[in-house]
Amino acid sequence: MAVRKAGRIVAAVAATALVAGGAAACGPEDLTGGGGSDDKGASASESASTGGPAAKQPPAGTDALAKVPASVKGGVITVGDPKAGHTVKLYEDARCPICKKFEETGAQALVKPVAEGKVKVEYTLASFLDKNLGGSGSVNAANALRASVDAGKFPQFHAAVFANQPERETDDAFTPAFLLKIADNVDGLRGAAFDKAVKKGSYKGWVGEAMQAFTDDGMQGTPTVVIDGKKAESGSLFDQGAFAKELRASGIS
């Protein structure tokens, strides 16, 4: 996928423009602050920490992945049969609105082949948007997502996190309190170990390892999708049919 660096832009405008464009990406140099001090963003964060908005349910389609194994090796989370004949590498940041767009559209074409054991997906969770925008939402979300692997609920929680991404990229909404509220919508996820990991940031060391893996792989933006070693075309990512066609071209159906 061709990825561009957005440069110095205003966050509220950037999120809208990037989604509308469909072929752009969030990059480590999108912003250099500013957004993190936005008064409305601070209010949203404070609201989330005191209860926040009602958490949305994850897409129903993720139920098909309920029995799919997830594992961790280094800074990467793998979902699917480890012996699957195809590998899709996915690089995301939880606060990236373009990642949410991909999850709602093109990524849905992966559900069936992953559930059937034909492909495994390797997730590398970046957290550069905290530096760009201020706050700690990306780190908090990645920490909670890592904890959900131990609870056997990563695919469902991953879908739920993106379903509950705030409308404004600058809103630092992914507080531990709001992440636990999101987790309430994933059956069987809440428990003493998961809750403690989310509240205490038990996997923040791993979050740093995941960010280093993102950098070491030479990634410059999210979402980036690599199918069996080849970057997916950016134009296919935001349409389920188009991305399914690209998967089929790699032998994945």
Side-chain angles (χ1 to χ4, degrees):
M1 180 183 78
V3 180
R4 66 177 179 84
K5 294 183 180 180
R8 296 168 64 94
I9 52 179
V10 179
V13 175
T16 301
L18 288 170
V19 171
C26 299
E29 294 184 6
D30 281 354
L31 307 167
T32 54
S37 61
D38 183 86
D39 289 339
K40 292 182 180 179
S43 297
S45 177
E46 182 179 357
S47 175
S49 67
T50 57
K56 301 174 184 177
Q57 292 281 346
T62 58
D63 292 342
L65 301 177
K67 296 182 180 180
V68 174
S71 59
V72 180
K73 184 176 181 179
V76 177
I77 295 172
T78 299
V79 174
D81 185 345
K83 298 179 181 179
H86 299 277
T87 301
V88 173
K89 294 185 177 182
L90 178 54
Y91 300 83
E92 295 179 321
D93 186 307
R95 292 178 71 177
C96 172
I98 318 305
C99 295
K100 174 180 172 65
K101 183 72 172 178
F102 171 68
E103 287 296 330
E104 293 174 340
T105 55
Q108 296 304 305
L110 281 167
V111 173
K112 184 174 181 287
V114 170
E116 293 177 347
K118 297 176 180 178
V119 61
K120 59 182 180 292
V121 181
E122 296 181 351
Y123 292 88
T124 301
L125 304 177
S127 49
F128 56 80
L129 282 175
D130 286 350
K131 180 178 180 181
N132 292 356
L133 301 167
S136 56
S138 293
V139 168
N140 290 340
N143 172 76
L145 285 162
R146 170 61 184 84
S148 73
V149 178
D150 293 345
K153 300 291 181 178
F154 175 81
Q156 301 97 310
F157 187 56
H158 174 265
V161 167
F162 278 101
N164 284 278
Q165 189 186 85
E167 292 185 5
R168 289 167 40 116
E169 189 179 11
T170 49
D171 289 348
D172 188 28
F174 287 136
T175 62
F178 187 50
L179 287 162
L180 289 175
K181 180 178 284 190
I182 294 171
D184 282 333
N185 286 325
V186 178
D187 290 342
L189 177 55
R190 292 293 300 271
F194 176 80
D195 289 8
K196 180 180 179 180
V198 173
K199 293 175 181 177
K200 301 294 185 181
S202 301
Y203 289 107
K204 285 188 176 179
W206 178 88
V207 174
E209 187 176 358
M211 186 64 220
Q212 188 61 52
F214 176 88
T215 302
D216 290 347
D217 283 355
M219 297 298 109
Q220 297 184 27
T222 57
T224 295
V225 182
V226 180
I227 305 171
D228 289 339
K230 180 182 179 181
K231 282 188 179 181
E233 292 295 329
S234 60
S236 74
L237 298 185
F238 309 104
D239 179 270
Q240 183 173 343
F243 190 59
K245 183 178 180 179
E246 184 145 3
L247 291 172
R248 286 196 298 271
S250 297
I252 303 169
S253 60

